[in-house]
Amino acid sequence: MHPLAERIQKQDMRALARAITLIENDDEEKLTLMSDVFSIQKQAHYIGITGSPGAGKSSLINQLLTYLRQQDLTVAVIAVDPTSPFSGGALLGDRTRMNQHFLDPGIFIRSMATRGSLGGLARATKDSIRVCDAYGFDVVLVETVGVGQSELDIMKVVDTTGLVLTPNSGDVLQIFKAGIMEIADLFIINKADLPGVRKLKSTLEEYMMIVQPEGWEPPIVQTISTEAKGMAELYESMKSHREFLYETNKGAERRKQQLQLEVYDLIREEIWREVKGEIEKDTQKLEAFQNPDADPYELARSWFREWVRKGE
Ligand SMILES: Nc1nc2c(ncn2[C@@H]2O[C@H](COP(=O)(O)OP(=O)(O)OP(=O)(O)O)[C@@H](O)[C@H]2O)c(=O)[nH]1
Ligand SMILES: [Mg+2]
């Protein structure tokens, strides 16, 4: 077994952090490590929290953490920040807000940088979730700003997705247009201390009347993160959703669909690594990169074919 996987299994938090760095950097060791990690996965509940910038996702997660710790559950938080890959500003903000938990061994908090990760952010996030699962956390929370395709991809890797909305913000419309409504397993009306809650709630109810979700109707939960209100109800809804996944086999269905996509992703990644390795060993090929007018299609095709022929 990969030494890091062994240490993770023994709940060594530094090994956990190290493994996530390997994942972020697309280190060559990643695949062997992940294969071992996969074999020691446990049964964590993977929960995604998404929503518009400033909707209160971090505040909510912070309060949910406190609540879950009170229930004697251990929690890992992965904050994905696709919008500001270079600044680190969001990371600092999140750190201060979640600060009070830093000394608790039942909690692990990590921000993921995009850094053009090869398999994409969703890939890196999924691997990181698995590492946290192997470590033995009961719950893995993933925070992401729901603004585009990559967030939709990330939400496909979790069991339960909570969509955070705020009253009077107009974000429902935006989220609706972006096709993000469909990924919600539960709607969280955060900032329920502000006016406009009833209106938002009826908008969501109307939405559900129209789409008529099959099997699972996303519950609408109200929270006030600044006052730690609504956390018990929130977690109860999350748990019910998970039970629904088990009871109806929907969870297995989801994971099966994911498996195929994941295998394809990994194949793409392996091939890329190999072909790139070959190119980088060849000074003549590297020189071709120096010609700004070179035809990228032609280069890619001929080098890929050459690599295929070599393997024959
Ligand atoms: N009134 C009120 N304000 C809240 C509530 N929850 C969060 N806020 C405030 O909303 C602001 C944004 O909160 P964050 O937790 O940083 O929101 P976020 O969704 O994580 O933001 P990004 O990560 O930047 O997208 C902060 O000033 C919070 O204090 C709430 O329930 N009621
Ligand atoms: Mg945040």
Side-chain angles (χ1 to χ4, degrees), residues 148-160:
Q149 191 55 45
S150 63
E151 291 69 46
L152 294 181
D153 288 345
I154 288 165
M155 288 309 142
K156 284 185 209 144
V157 310
V158 300
D159 302 310
T160 303

Side-chain angles (χ1 to χ4, degrees), residues 6 59 113 129 143 155 172 200 247 258 285 297 310:
E6 227 163 84
S59 316
I129 294 172
E143 172 185 345
M155 288 309 142
V172 184
L200 176 55
E247 279 162 15
Q258 273 301 313
K285 289 196 174 68
Y297 304 99
K310 244 179 130 174

Side-chain angles (χ1 to χ4, degrees), residues 216-231:
W216 173 259
E217 173 158 332
I220 303 169
V221 186
Q222 295 181 27
T223 58
I224 305 173
S225 299
T226 40
E227 296 166 29
K229 284 197 178 135
M231 297 306 136

Side-chain angles (χ1 to χ4, degrees), residues 37-52:
V37 161
F38 188 78
S39 70
I40 51 174
Q41 270 192 108
K42 306 212 171 63
Q43 281 296 310
H45 185 182
Y46 304 169
I47 298 172
I49 300 288
T50 192
S52 307

Side-chain angles (χ1 to χ4, degrees), residues 13-25:
M13 220 176 248
R14 287 179 60 190
L16 173 64
R18 176 87 196 103
I20 296 180
T21 303
L22 290 188
I23 291 166
E24 274 184 326
N25 295 340

